Amino acid sequence: MQQVLRLAEKGRGHTSPNPMVGAILDRNGKIVGQGYHRGAGMPHAEMEAIKDAGRMADGSTLYVNLEPCCHFGKTPPCTDAIISAGIKKVVYPVNDPNPVVNGKGARILKKHGIEVKSGLMAEQAKKLNEAYFKYQLTGLPFLNLKIEQTLDGKRTSSPSLTESLLSNSDRKETLRILSADKEIAGMRASRFFTKGDLIKYLRSLAAEGVLSVIVKGTDGWGAKILKHRLVDKICYLIYPEIGGRRPALEINLGINRISEAWKLSDVHYQNLGRAILVSGYINYN
């Protein structure tokens, strides 16, 4: 399944509003076909793997990182292709949270005598498609708050994150951490007076197929979305300089004890040469 997840990763940045999916066909311990979803509107990973395997798909086991779809969208149902190919077993980590699939794909396969097994590496599979899962469960995009600051917590005078990564050998990994369909910057936070206004705007983005967003923590944006507990992940880019007139993030959460502070989980540290990136998922108390 780890190899399947690596295949799925190849579609990062190209599949929204679809999930990233990889698939491998195994026959008697030998890989006979593989593929991944290359982009919205293009064949799904299962279709690519079946095409790659040809006749060798008959009697094989399909490994895929998400429950196969069973509905017509821009492409036909993967369940139909799996049944027609003669695949005998399907292994996947988690059900597709899309209500038109969610368990239905597995039931169709079982109905046609195909063995189905789920649960393997479920957490890793959910994390890979965290934006897709959040959208399907809430209707909102996954929200990354990006803050660039000096050592003393002020707004940095250094180049932007994108510019700072241009000559860095770790840029691919960093861009993977911060991957998103859209970056929001330069909008006046005063436009959004309430949490309802912000949610309405975010829903409109998701409706356009924007499932993951990077919000620059400037112009009051960071304070707004943090106070309303809408941020999923925080990415701090800390530059080795001191100075500046304004705080990078102007916010008062009313927290008086360190024990009450919002903590980050799955914290990631990365030396970019010109700055340090600290990122993690925010846990609201």
Side-chain angles (χ1 to χ4, degrees):
M1 191 57 69
Q2 189 66 55
Q3 191 171 346
V4 169
L5 292 171
R6 285 197 296 268
L7 271 174
E9 182 78 37
K10 290 185 176 182
R12 185 175 290 279
H14 303 288
T15 63
S16 289
N18 296 341
M20 291 173 278
V21 181
I24 288 177
L25 283 170
D26 178 282
R27 183 172 176 175
N28 300 323
K30 180 182 178 181
I31 294 177
V32 295
Q34 59 184 323
Y36 68 96
H37 184 40
R38 297 173 183 272
M42 300 181 72
H44 289 187
E46 298 94 324
M47 303 286 198
E48 293 279 13
I50 290 171
K51 180 180 178 181
D52 186 41
R55 293 182 179 180
M56 294 297 289
D58 188 16
S60 67
T61 296
L62 170 67
Y63 293 89
V64 62
N65 61 291
L66 194 66
E67 176 189 12
C69 71
C70 55
H71 66 292
F72 281 92
K74 292 182 178 179
T75 59
C78 289
T79 49
D80 287 358
I82 292 168
I83 294 165
S84 297
I87 293 170
K88 67 176 182 180
K89 183 178 180 179
V90 175
V91 180
Y92 66 87
V94 291
N95 282 355
D96 188 332
N98 187 336
V100 301
V101 183
N102 203 354
K104 298 183 181 71
R107 288 196 292 272
I108 289 172
L109 295 175
K110 290 177 182 178
K111 183 179 179 180
H112 284 81
I114 298 173
E115 183 182 352
V116 176
K117 182 180 179 181
S118 62
L120 181 65
M121 296 184 69
E123 290 307 311
Q124 293 93 322
K126 287 180 181 178
K127 185 175 180 180
L128 174 69
N129 280 305
E130 58 193 4
Y132 176 76
F133 272 80
K134 183 182 179 184
Y135 167 67
Q136 291 295 342
L137 296 173
T138 69
L140 295 172
F142 189 89
L143 215 56
N144 301 274
L145 176 61
K146 184 183 76 175
I147 301 168
E148 300 183 52
Q149 69 167 56
T150 59
L151 289 175
D152 55 342
K154 302 297 176 59
R155 295 189 183 185
T156 177
S157 61
S158 295
S160 69
L161 173 62
T162 303
E163 293 174 17
S164 71
L165 293 174
L166 289 179
S167 60
N168 194 284
S169 60
D170 292 330
R171 64 185 180 278
K172 289 184 178 180
E173 168 65 8
T174 305
L175 292 176
R176 184 191 68 78
I177 294 171
L178 298 178
S179 67
D181 299 320
K182 186 171 184 175
E183 180 167 342
I184 302 173
M187 298 180 65
R188 296 180 66 85
S190 59
R191 168 185 169 186
F192 303 101
F193 295 102
T194 67
K195 182 176 181 178
D197 293 329
L198 275 166
I199 289 177
K200 184 177 179 180
Y201 173 66
L202 292 172
R203 285 191 188 280
S204 70
L205 290 178
E208 295 172 1
V210 178
L211 302 192
S212 183
V213 178
I214 293 175
V215 177
K216 293 185 70 173
T218 56
D219 301 325
W221 266 96
K224 284 272 186 179
I225 62 176
L226 266 178
K227 280 191 172 182
H228 292 313
R229 303 190 177 204
L230 294 173
V231 175
D232 296 294
K233 190 173 185 179
I234 291 183
C235 305
Y236 261 94
L237 194 74
I238 305 171
Y239 286 88
E241 59 183 48
I242 297 175
R245 291 180 297 175
R246 297 181 61 185
L249 182 65
E250 299 182 71
I251 186 171
N252 183 357
L253 298 175
I255 295 173
N256 299 312
R257 299 178 181 177
I258 192 66
S259 60
E260 299 172 349
W262 294 347
K263 306 296 193 302
L264 298 185
S265 62
D266 195 12
V267 179
H268 182 96
Y269 303 90
Q270 187 164 345
N271 186 349
L272 302 179
R274 296 175 64 183
I276 299 295
L277 175 68
V278 181
S279 63
Y281 299 88
I282 187 165
N283 299 311
Y284 300 103
N285 295 337

